[in-house]
């Protein structure tokens, strides 16, 4: 492959301005991540230590191989919900390494409301297990939860993708032959009791661990029986009488040693074969990504400059470089793995849509994973383009993308608006992972377009009844829409709602993609199949 020749002028005023703005955004991101991961009221930490419990991050340090990466999922989930106090939605999730193998971790965070499950906690757990299912990765559950947050029970219990989906996903993993291990570090009450019960193996800590459908207060209220938590569902009872748990541990360190030993006995999945060689770092400094992305998302930039700072050796074989130029397509390597990249260099036209469809078919045939780099306002609109069949050609792109059998990965590096989000493998389209950069935006359309559209609709309605709006009245219609769209299209709103798997520092993008691609190879690729293309 030829190497991308960068035309980036790192001495220009625009580069320096962009760099400073992104550096500030990344500093804010790191501050928010540090708060979500580590900052807790001292009383909550003291309470854990009083009961000889570790924090969730200390638990991960004991469980995972030392010095290995942890690809966290949804670190800033719920950052704009529940008053901002339920950091990470009260859960820590991600892909870690144990005995050199990838494993999905789902861990309750007992330092937040006793590990209680909020609606977004449930959404995060379901997403975590979806990752395990899609990539056929073993799961270790670190169980320590006070149960569902009852004031919000209507939003976490009855629907298809609420709490019941957690247990459905566990059953699906078991049916697929994917190992699951539970480490019971605190109480697992009511529905939470089914997490260890549905696992292949379960370890429970004496004194702290407990598994019961109804805790002592509920048992007393329901039956009048007075019983201690240890007698009702403690370690010794469950490992010697009920058989609900398999191993009793003296403390948390002992429990994690047992869990690691159990995991070592499970049979590793055979990874899928793809075109893969030894990796090499990019030729250009990844931190230069800070200066490439404009402070205003409406300002264009060359996506090749982004690709050059993510892929191995900055090598890129571009497909049809002279055709459909608003979409850059081509082959590269990330962590030595060959990938097909689709990257927006403007709005999607007829030719770029057809180019995308053909390129994705080539990648699917050759078992080449797909990476989508989004900066897209949508498909081109207007009479001329409708006559050319832009809707039909966009549908071909979407149909082909859905039909691909290879793993797909998406990074929103700029804007992601309208149907362009769909064609470029947005959240609804079963990509293995989707991340955003700190300045990214996502919405059905841009804030100004939405405000102008609604204002125009209102003006026409009033004109039909003979009324006219003043400039102040028009602004009064526009402004609330503008503010609402700006707030709800923000990257932090997206990640709070778990519309993505996290916000990345741009320099971490290559490693996040690399780890995700390698992890995806644990699952067999599906069978390619395509619906009807309107030719």
């Amino acid at each position: 492959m030829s190497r991308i020749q960068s035309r980036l002028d790192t001495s220009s005023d625009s580069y320096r301005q962009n760099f400073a703005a992104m550096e500030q955004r990344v500093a804010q991101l790191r501050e928010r991540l540090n708060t979500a991961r580590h900052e807790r009221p001292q009383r909550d930490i003291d309470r854990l230590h009083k009961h000889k419990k570790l924090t969730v991050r200390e638990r991960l340090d004991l469980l995972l191989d030392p010095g290995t990466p942890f690809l966290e999922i949804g670190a800033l989930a719920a950052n704009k919900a529940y008053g901002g106090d339920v950091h990470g939605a009260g859960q820590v999730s991600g892909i870690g390494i144990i005995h050199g193998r990838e494993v999905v971790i789902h861990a309750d965070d007992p330092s937040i409301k006793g590990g209680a499950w909020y609606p977004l906690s449930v959404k995060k757990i379901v997403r975590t297990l979806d990752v395990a299912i899609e990539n056929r990765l073993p799961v270790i559950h670190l169980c320590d939860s006070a149960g569902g947050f009852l004031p919000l029970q209507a939003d976490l219990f009855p629907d298809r993708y609420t709490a019941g989906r957690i247990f459905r996903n566990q059953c699906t993993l078991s049916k697929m032959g994917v190992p699951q291990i539970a480490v019971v570090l605190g109480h697992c009450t009511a529905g939470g009791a089914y997490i260890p019960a549905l696992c292949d193996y379960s370890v429970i800590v004496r004194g702290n661990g407990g598994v019961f459908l109804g805790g002592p207060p509920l048992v007393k209220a329901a039956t009048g029986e007075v019983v201690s938590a240890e007698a009702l569902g403690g370690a010794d009872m469950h490992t010697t009488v009920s058989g609900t748990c398999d191993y009793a541990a003296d403390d948390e360190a002992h429990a994690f040693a047992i869990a690691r030993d159990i995991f070592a006995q499970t049979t590793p999945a055979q990874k899928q074969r793809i075109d893969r060689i030894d990796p090499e770092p990019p030729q250009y400094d990844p931190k230069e990504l800070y200066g490439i992305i404009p402070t205003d998302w409406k300002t264009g930039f060359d996506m090749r400059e982004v690709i050059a700072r993510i892929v191995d050796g900055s090598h890129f074989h571009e497909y049809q470089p002279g055709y459909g130029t608003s979409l850059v397509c081509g082959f590269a390597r990330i962590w030595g793995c060959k990938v097909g990249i689709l990257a927006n260099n403007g709005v999607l036209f007829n030719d770029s849509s057809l180019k995308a469809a053909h390129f994705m078919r080539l990648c699917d045939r050759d078992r080449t994973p797909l990476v989508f780099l989004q900066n897209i306002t949508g498909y081109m609109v207007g009479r001329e383009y409708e006559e050319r069949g832009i809707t039909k050609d966009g549908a071909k792109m979407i149909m082909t993308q859905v039909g691909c059998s290879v793993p797909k990965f998406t990074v929103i590096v700029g804007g992601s608006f309208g149907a362009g989000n769909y064609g470029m493998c947005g959240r609804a389209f079963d990509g293995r992972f989707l991340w955003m950069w700190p300045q990214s935006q996502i919405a059905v359309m841009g804030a100004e377009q939405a405000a102008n559209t609604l204002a125009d609709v209102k003006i026409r309605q009033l004109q039909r009844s003979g009324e006219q709006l003043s400039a102040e009245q028009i602004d009064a219609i526009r402004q609330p829409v503008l503010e609402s769209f700006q707030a709800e299209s923000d990257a932090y709103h997206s990640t709070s709602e778990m519309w993505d798997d996290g916000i990345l520092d741009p320099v971490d993008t290559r490693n996040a993609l690399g780890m995700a691609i390698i992890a995806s190879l644990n699952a067999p690729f599906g069978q390619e199949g395509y619906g009807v293309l309107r030719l």
Side-chain angles (χ1 to χ4, degrees):
M1 296 184 189
S2 59
R3 178 170 285 138
I4 294 174
Q5 298 301 311
S6 176
R7 294 178 172 84
L8 185 66
D9 181 2
T10 58
S11 64
S12 68
D13 289 340
S14 62
Y15 175 87
R16 288 196 293 266
Q17 290 168 3
N18 293 342
F19 193 100
M22 182 63 81
E23 199 168 38
Q24 186 175 8
R25 287 181 179 270
V26 169
Q28 182 188 53
L29 172 63
R30 289 175 180 164
E31 183 178 343
R32 292 191 181 197
L33 286 170
N34 183 68
T35 298
R37 289 169 173 165
H38 302 293
E39 293 185 9
R40 301 290 184 272
Q42 189 58 45
R43 66 178 184 276
D44 292 332
I45 303 301
D46 292 342
R47 174 176 51 82
L48 290 178
H49 290 164
K50 179 183 177 181
H51 290 95
K52 298 181 180 179
K53 287 186 175 185
L54 302 173
T55 67
V56 68
R57 301 286 167 176
E58 291 170 335
R59 289 169 173 174
L60 290 180
D61 287 342
L62 288 177
L63 179 64
L64 301 176
D65 290 354
T68 56
F70 181 62
L71 183 60
E72 190 162 356
I73 297 169
L76 293 175
N79 76 89
K80 289 183 175 290
Y82 319 127
D85 295 329
V86 185
H87 301 300
Q91 302 289 314
V92 175
S93 298
I95 299 176
I97 307 295
I98 299 178
H99 294 302
R101 292 159 53 194
E102 299 93 358
V103 58
V104 166
I105 303 296
H106 149 233
D108 300 313
D109 187 343
S111 70
I112 299 175
K113 312 295 184 182
W117 290 356
Y118 285 70
L120 284 170
S121 312
V122 170
K123 186 174 184 179
K124 184 169 178 177
I125 299 169
V126 171
R127 170 59 187 153
T128 302
L129 297 182
D130 282 343
V131 168
I133 290 169
E134 292 163 358
N135 298 285
R136 293 211 178 183
L137 292 173
V139 181
I140 295 184
H141 304 266
L142 306 188
C143 306
D144 191 354
S145 173
F149 185 68
L150 294 181
L152 298 177
Q153 65 85 25
D155 296 322
L156 61 83
F157 170 68
D159 206 356
R160 181 176 184 181
Y161 291 100
T162 49
R165 194 73 175 186
I166 297 170
F167 314 124
R168 174 268 185 191
N169 277 1
Q170 283 192 267
C171 295
T172 299
L173 284 163
S174 186
K175 183 171 63 176
M176 293 167 62
V178 178
Q180 295 180 79
I181 301 168
V183 185
V184 181
L185 303 153
H187 286 180
C188 298
T189 308
Y194 287 111
I195 286 187
L198 290 169
C199 286
D200 303 293
Y201 304 92
S202 58
V203 184
I204 183 169
V205 177
R206 286 190 177 94
N208 283 333
V211 179
F212 22 62
L213 292 180
L218 179 59
V219 169
K220 182 179 179 181
T223 70
E225 180 183 6
V226 177
V227 61
S228 70
E230 191 66 21
L232 183 64
D236 290 329
M237 192 284 287
H238 275 314
T239 56
T240 64
V241 179
S242 76
T244 300
C245 298
D246 304 309
Y247 306 88
D250 296 328
D251 56 26
E252 294 197 3
H254 185 205
F256 294 128
I258 294 171
R260 285 179 55 86
D261 194 39
I262 293 169
F263 186 74
Q265 313 312 313
T266 61
T267 303
Q270 185 172 356
K271 285 190 178 288
Q272 300 301 296
R273 294 182 60 187
I274 63 170
D275 186 342
R276 185 177 172 189
I277 61 175
D278 291 337
E280 61 174 310
Q283 176 75 11
Y284 303 104
D285 184 358
K287 198 161 186 180
E288 290 175 350
L289 290 167
Y290 288 10
I292 293 170
I293 307 302
T295 55
D296 181 355
W297 67 267
K298 291 177 287 186
T299 301
F301 60 92
D302 188 353
M303 197 67 86
R304 294 174 186 83
E305 299 288 359
V306 173
I307 296 169
R309 287 154 182 86
I310 292 175
V311 303
D312 290 13
S314 304
H315 296 298
F316 185 60
H317 176 84
E318 188 166 352
Y319 172 73
Q320 288 191 325
Y323 178 73
T325 55
S326 67
L327 185 71
V328 176
C329 298
F331 299 102
R333 293 185 185 275
I334 296 175
W335 277 22
C337 299
K338 183 181 176 183
V339 295
I341 295 177
L342 295 92
N344 300 117
N345 249 15
V347 67
L348 286 162
F349 292 91
N350 299 74
D351 52 3
S352 47
S353 302
L354 295 172
K355 172 180 172 178
H358 191 80
F359 178 70
M360 286 187 284
R361 284 288 289 115
L362 293 174
C363 292
D364 203 33
R365 183 195 65 185
D366 293 340
R367 297 173 58 83
T368 302
L370 292 167
V371 173
F372 296 82
L373 302 178
Q374 284 197 21
N375 181 35
I376 181 65
T377 56
Y379 291 89
M380 191 61 190
V381 297
R383 177 178 175 179
E384 174 188 353
Y385 299 98
E386 292 295 352
E387 289 177 346
R388 291 185 189 178
I390 185 63
T391 304
K392 181 172 65 174
D393 292 339
K396 292 183 184 121
M397 179 178 174
I398 294 171
M399 184 77 77
T400 305
Q401 188 249 108
V402 171
C404 286
S405 63
V406 295
K408 300 177 290 187
F409 308 87
T410 304
V411 184
I412 299 176
V413 305
S416 178
F417 297 102
N421 170 276
Y422 300 160
M424 291 294 292
C425 195
R427 189 61 147 177
F429 288 81
D430 297 328
R432 300 295 179 92
F433 285 90
L434 183 148
W435 297 282
M436 298 185 78
W437 282 2
Q439 86 300 337
S440 301
Q441 296 188 37
I442 181 168
V444 69
M445 63 178 68
E448 291 184 5
Q449 292 93 324
N452 290 338
T453 299
L454 290 180
D456 188 52
V457 169
K458 187 66 174 178
I459 290 168
R460 290 203 306 270
Q461 287 175 343
L462 294 173
Q463 284 176 341
R464 285 195 293 269
S465 60
E467 296 183 51
Q468 296 291 331
L469 290 178
S470 66
E472 292 77 11
Q473 289 172 313
I474 293 173
D475 190 59
I477 295 172
R478 290 184 74 259
Q479 198 59 32
V481 178
L482 192 65
E483 292 173 0
S484 173
F485 264 71
Q486 286 173 339
E488 293 179 359
S489 62
D490 177 71
Y492 288 99
H493 180 83
S494 170
T495 209
S496 179
E497 295 294 317
M498 294 233 32
W499 297 344
D500 56 60
D501 293 309
I503 301 176
L504 294 176
D505 178 341
V507 301
D508 294 333
T509 303
R510 168 181 165 80
N511 285 338
L513 282 168
M515 190 169 181
I517 291 166
I518 298 298
S520 76
L521 302 181
N522 287 280
F525 293 177
Q527 294 293 320
E528 65 178 0
Y530 299 90
V532 176
L533 298 179
R534 190 175 292 275
L535 302 174

